[in-house]
Amino acid sequence: MGRGKVELKRIENSTSRQVTFSKRKNGLLKKAFELSILCDAEVALLIFSPSGKAYQFASHDMDRSIARYRNEVGLMEFNNYQRSRTIEFWMSEIDNLRRTIDTLEAKHKHLAGEDLSTLGMKELKQLERQLKNGVERIRAKKRRIISEHISLLKKRQRALQEDNTRLQKKLHEANLNTRAFGAEECDAFGRSSGSSGFGGPHDGAVI
């Protein structure tokens, strides 16, 4: 009886998926090697694991095989002019980023009150407005935090007062119950003493 058709889909269990990847990868590399030997084929194989690790096999030089593939499918290699333009582009990007960093660092120093000698009256007034606006926002934030903290403390105070009132009420009820119980015991003791044989001097006496 033949095996049923196996549905190909992603293995959800990470451990099983890693084990299967390792086994299938080794089998694929072995098949590529056998194909290059048995059929004298130029074979280049690249495998990237889910974590990004690269595995490769090349029966000849990998770079030569990739260049041959690019030529076969019509992908042109970068010439020297294209490489030069690419380098120029990235050098320009680096210069722009450096200028941006220098500008941001200078603004940071100005906000800290440092290196103000390069600023004119207009720039100083603008910086002063920015600082005032910043201070107002900071104060508003502080007031909001303090208000929220005060509200929280008031809620805690009310809760503690309610707990204190409840405990005082229970204590008062306990004291009343204790007094009532003591009065009942005294009354019961007095009645039992009056009915015993140890009463007054004429009880049971014959003259």
Side-chain angles (χ1 to χ4, degrees), residues 71-196:
N71 185 58
E72 288 291 332
V73 298
L75 297 174
M76 299 298 294
E77 289 287 337
F78 275 178
N79 55 34
N80 291 333
Y81 174 74
Q82 289 173 318
R83 289 194 182 94
S84 177
R85 290 294 302 273
T86 302
I87 293 173
E88 289 178 1
F89 169 78
W90 287 114
M91 290 298 294
S92 176
E93 287 293 307
I94 290 172
D95 290 338
N96 290 334
L97 289 174
R98 284 175 178 170
R99 284 194 293 269
T100 301
I101 291 172
D102 291 340
T103 301
L104 292 175
E105 287 180 347
K107 288 183 177 180
H108 179 73
K109 288 182 179 180
H110 295 161
L111 290 172
E114 300 174 358
D115 196 16
L116 302 177
S117 59
T118 58
L119 299 181
M121 182 60 67
K122 182 179 179 180
E123 290 82 4
L124 289 172
K125 287 183 178 180
Q126 184 179 1
L127 178 61
E128 185 179 14
R129 284 195 300 271
Q130 291 177 350
L131 291 173
K132 284 183 178 180
N133 293 334
V135 169
E136 286 300 322
R137 286 193 292 268
I138 292 171
R139 288 175 176 172
K141 179 65 175 179
K142 285 177 61 179
R143 287 193 293 267
R144 185 162 59 252
I145 292 175
I146 293 172
S147 178
E148 292 173 354
H149 188 62
I150 291 174
S151 298
L152 179 61
L153 291 177
K154 287 182 177 180
K155 289 181 180 179
R156 291 179 179 177
Q157 183 185 13
R158 286 195 296 270
L160 290 173
Q161 287 176 344
E162 291 174 357
D163 290 340
N164 184 47
T165 302
R166 190 162 48 251
L167 290 174
Q168 287 182 351
K169 184 178 180 181
K170 288 183 178 180
L171 180 62
H172 180 67
E173 292 175 352
N175 290 334
L176 291 178
N177 291 334
T178 301
R179 292 174 183 173
F181 181 73
E184 290 178 357
E185 282 190 337
C186 291
D187 185 59
F189 179 76
R191 287 197 301 270
S192 62
S193 298
S195 59
S196 65

